[in-house]
């Protein structure tokens, strides 16, 4: 795509014509509806459809992408092609321009009504680090790790759009040196930088999806911050996995980047050794050259490379459905924490500070073992495009608040 | 309630005037709508409302209970009281009787649109048995077990109503004696007899629900069969818990028994030692004297007592929300396998056959280590009422089918 849009696209906005991510926006007093980002504006698809410029089957005048996502790949590709026409052919400009609304004037809401949420554990560097920290006496990677993409189900009802306040969870924990569990606000509140994807087209109960079916079922990608209370998680997780420590909140970016927009970012994933079972083989390279960026209070603290992920999105979907589990429109699958091999590539504070033993020194003079009340965490990601422009996945951000109803004078967790 | 209904209630039908469980039914060519079971009939609440006999806010002419469940406890109690009036006061009979439809003429559909599904692990006997079988070298109960009600999130999108075919899952497994994992149909397909409850009234993000809030948020109870592929589960579960081994299907009973109907079944739960943290304390006795019955191909193979559960439903809900996780209308929480102390009280084949080492000898001359294709599993439960009549929770049933698309000649797993 070497087309150039007539719509203004500031250099490095990341929202050029190669991207066109979908979101749901509102303005005061108006109903939410679907738009795509272009430059510093949102293109109002419901408005375009009402003006007869875009095929409309009630997909776009909706409060979530789910209806459009369920329409399937032919509809996704046709809409994308038409939107590119409208934004690149100069003769459309007069009729289309009134439907461009500055992003500064809109509120972005959660783009997807999340059906089920499953979270993988697909970074070998993350899994090895967590293994060393949480199970110091054992081999870091469990024997199954290179054989299947490990995952657990999270809580769909607590998936929030970027910007939603994050309340510090209270809960039960017992540190290794404690004899009794205690109760209080989490002292080890963490972020997890992840990349997720959302299902558009459902599958039938009993029918696994092969890796080759990924594009026919998956609509697009989002950024995910799977907030985690490490002290609560550590105490509760045996033998059935995390529950309270991860169920209080998960944040997603407001923009869903279509699978088609990331074609130029596809790269061969790391070699898998031992070879995977046939149902996990993938004929196409499905690594993605996304660079994540984690910002804490305005300071970039890590840049995890998604291209280092051991398990790819099509392998994840094939594994999730191998037992015949059906997927539904709105299902969210996330990668798990994205961590590269290097220390500045780690995707969570658990790893970056080695569970608080090596606090981060921030340029503003403060230190962080884990998150403090008032901290702002923002995750971004960028991908290459065929034109050389940088594609942005938007951002997912959140500010830590004390739990509502916290007793006055509750000590704020500090540096370890 | 010593009222007697004018509607015929066969002795031991379990659907007397003390029960009045809610469900969603259809007849050929008719829209699904809400009814309550009485005797061998369903009372059509949408029909009653249309005739002005029952307050109607569009709750009852609906394909799920969710709208009515969201209406809250005052609405639940008012509707229940009114339905009891209509079914016990003889002068109503002429107008109400046309709205009684024989159960044999209706199809019962999934009563609840499930939002999130979380499954607990609240039977101490089950947890101890599973610990012995799966982790023979460790202490059976993990150190956290008596401190908090362990749970994990399951897959809401694969919760099906009783009677839905259950496809044997395929997947990856590695037995203890194997060096390499293999792939194929599960050889250790199991049932899990559980009791669940569904949330009616949502909670706010960040605000935990105390144990005392249980009745204000929970609409009623269902029976659950959380089908499990033990070989897949065993191999995948470290460190994040079960995923493919439990996500292919979960069956629920079509009838939701209101919390108010189980008041007479409440009993003191087993003593908890050590004492629980304050957020898990419960002022009221919330053990429930339900006796489950597991039938395999027409033979009762176990009768697990729900009264033996260590953790109670209000404790489960308080724990699930202690970190501020919000609950939504339609959330399903299940107890985990219900197992009593005795061998005939165990709630799954893993325990009943000690992972296949001690196959069950069925009266029909066959033996079972795990489930075979064609097997029918039915779970029922009964509770006492104030009148001495037996209350039935209905039943949840399922037949095992080979996976669709299974290669011809796939060997059917047999007796271990």
């Amino acid at each position: 795509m070497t087309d150039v849009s007539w719509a203004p696209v500031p250099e490095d906005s990341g929202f050029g014509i190669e991207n066109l991510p979908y979101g749901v926006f509102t303005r005061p007093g108006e109903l939410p509806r679907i738009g795509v980002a272009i430059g510093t504006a949102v293109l109002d698809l419901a408005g375009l459809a009402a003006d007869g410029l875009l095929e409309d089957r009630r997909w776009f005048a909706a409060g979530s992408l789910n209806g459009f996502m369920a329409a399937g790949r032919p509809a996704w590709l046709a809409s994308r092609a038409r939107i590119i026409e409208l934004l690149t052919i100069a003769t459309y400009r007069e009729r289309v321009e009134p439907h461009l609304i500055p992003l500064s004037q809109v509120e972005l809401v959660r783009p997807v009504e999340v059906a089920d949420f499953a979270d993988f554990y697909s970074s070998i560097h993350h899994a090895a680090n967590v293994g060393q920290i949480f199970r110091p006496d054992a081999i870091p990677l469990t024997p199954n790790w290179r054989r299947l993409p490990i995952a657990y189900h999270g809580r769909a009802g607590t998936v929030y759009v970027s910007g939603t306040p994050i309340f510090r969870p209270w809960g039960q924990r017992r540190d290794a040196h404690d004899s009794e569990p205690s109760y209080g606000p989490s002292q080890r509140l963490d972020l997890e930088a992840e990349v997720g994807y959302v299902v558009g087209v459902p599958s039938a109960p009993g029918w696994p999806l092969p890796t080759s079916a990924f594009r026919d079922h998956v609509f697009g990608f989002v950024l995910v911050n799977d907030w985690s209370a490490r002290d609560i998680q550590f105490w509760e997780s045996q033998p059935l996995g995390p529950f309270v420590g991860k169920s209080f909140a998960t944040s997603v970016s407001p923009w869903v980047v279509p699978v088609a927009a990331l074609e130029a970012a596809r790269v061969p994933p790391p070699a898998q050794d031992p070879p995977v079972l046939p149902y996990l083989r993938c004929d196409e390279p499905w690594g993605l050259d996304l660079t994540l960026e984690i910002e804490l209070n305005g300071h970039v603290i890590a840049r995890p490379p998604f291209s280092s992920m051991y398990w790819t999105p099509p392998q994840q979907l094939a594994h999730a459905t191998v037992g015949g589990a059906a997927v539904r429109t709105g299902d969210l699958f996330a990668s798990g924490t994205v961590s590269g091999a290097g220390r500045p590539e780690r995707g969570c504070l658990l790893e970056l500070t080695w569970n608080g033993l090596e606090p981060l020194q921030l340029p503003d003079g403060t230190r962080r073992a884990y998150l403090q009340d008032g901290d702002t965490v923002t995750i971004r990601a960028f991908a290459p495009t065929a034109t050389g422009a940088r594609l942005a996945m938007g951002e997912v951000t959140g500010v830590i608040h004390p739990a509502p109803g916290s007793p006055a004078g509750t000590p704020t967790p500090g540096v370890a």
Side-chain angles (χ1 to χ4, degrees), chain A:
Chain A
M1 279 187 296
T2 53
D3 315 282
V4 173
S5 177
W6 50 256
V9 176
E11 198 179 350
D12 263 350
S13 85
F15 290 149
I17 193 74
E18 309 84 358
N19 193 348
L20 301 178
Y22 291 87
V24 179
F25 71 96
T26 62
R27 285 197 292 192
E30 295 179 3
L31 285 174
R33 54 199 188 275
I34 293 176
V36 298
I38 180 78
T40 57
V42 56
L43 180 63
D44 178 354
L45 300 193
L48 286 179
D51 274 2
L53 288 162
L54 193 61
E55 190 187 12
D56 177 21
R57 295 188 187 165
R58 307 200 179 183
W59 292 326
F60 300 124
S64 82
L65 292 172
N66 290 49
F68 179 53
M69 296 200 309
R73 191 161 175 244
W76 309 336
L77 294 180
S79 290
R80 182 171 169 83
R82 176 63 178 162
I83 292 165
I84 290 173
E85 279 183 1
L86 294 173
L87 285 172
T88 53
I89 298 176
T91 50
Y92 284 121
R93 180 168 186 164
E94 195 180 348
R95 293 176 66 196
V96 172
E97 207 158 27
H99 298 292
L100 283 177
I101 306 170
L103 278 169
S104 59
Q105 293 180 14
V106 306
E107 180 193 354
L108 296 166
V109 302
R110 193 179 61 181
V112 172
E113 199 175 318
V114 180
D116 271 301
F117 167 40
D119 200 13
F120 284 86
Y121 194 53
S122 290
S123 159
I124 196 166
H125 308 294
H126 172 68
N129 286 335
V130 171
Q132 280 187 61
I133 294 168
F134 274 4
R135 299 180 299 279
D137 301 328
I139 297 169
L141 289 184
T142 48
N144 54 9
W145 200 92
R146 290 171 182 269
R147 303 297 191 150
L148 55 86
I150 291 172
Y152 70 99
H153 280 97
R155 191 161 183 78
T158 53
V159 175
Y160 301 109
V161 72
S162 173
T164 303
I166 301 304
F167 298 116
R168 178 182 300 277
W170 287 50
Q172 190 178 141
R173 63 276 169 112
R174 196 192 75 175
D175 279 349
H177 57 273
D178 294 333
S179 61
E180 294 284 310
S182 63
Y183 168 76
S186 171
Q187 308 273 334
R188 296 176 188 264
L189 181 56
D190 202 354
L191 62 99
E192 287 195 334
E194 308 192 8
V195 174
Y197 53 88
V198 286
V199 169
V201 176
S203 68
W207 291 90
L209 294 177
T211 57
S212 59
F214 185 79
R215 271 198 200 81
D216 289 326
H217 290 269
V218 171
F219 176 75
F221 288 86
V222 292
L223 290 175
V224 178
N225 186 344
D226 189 34
W227 307 95
S228 299
R230 301 301 185 186
D231 41 0
I232 297 171
Q233 179 189 352
F234 180 76
W235 171 231
E236 74 181 350
S237 285
Q238 282 304 321
L240 296 182
F243 186 58
V244 171
K246 281 173 172 284
S247 62
F248 54 98
T250 303
S251 299
V252 294
S253 58
W255 295 112
V256 183
V257 176
V259 173
L262 292 176
E263 284 295 328
R266 285 176 45 210
V267 291
Q272 296 183 318
D273 181 32
V276 297
L277 281 165
Y279 80 93
L280 290 170
R281 283 183 206 146
C282 197
D283 291 336
E284 297 182 79
W286 260 108
L288 284 172
D289 183 16
L290 310 175
T291 302
L292 280 63
E293 188 175 278
I294 306 173
E295 201 179 84
L296 175 57
N297 298 338
H299 313 293
V300 174
I301 58 170
R303 288 199 170 84
F306 192 72
S307 58
S308 68
M309 299 298 276
Y310 192 88
W311 295 103
T312 66
Q315 290 181 315
Q316 293 166 353
L317 188 63
H319 183 68
T321 61
V322 66
V327 297
R328 291 181 293 171
T329 302
D331 280 349
L332 170 65
F333 291 94
S335 59
T337 303
V338 182
S339 290
R343 180 169 168 160
E345 297 178 338
R346 296 174 183 167
C348 63
L349 292 173
L350 172 69
E351 293 171 82
L352 285 164
T353 73
W354 213 251
N355 198 20
L357 293 177
E358 304 166 13
L360 287 182
Q361 184 74 49
L362 298 182
D364 63 11
T366 64
R367 301 199 316 161
R368 286 294 180 290
Y370 280 100
L371 296 172
Q372 296 189 5
D373 291 345
D375 280 352
T376 301
V377 176
T378 303
I379 301 166
R380 301 185 187 87
F382 303 97
T385 67
T387 63
R390 196 170 74 151
L391 176 151
M393 295 194 62
E395 60 181 44
V396 55
T397 191
V399 177
I400 308 301
H401 294 249
S406 301
T410 300
T412 299
V415 174

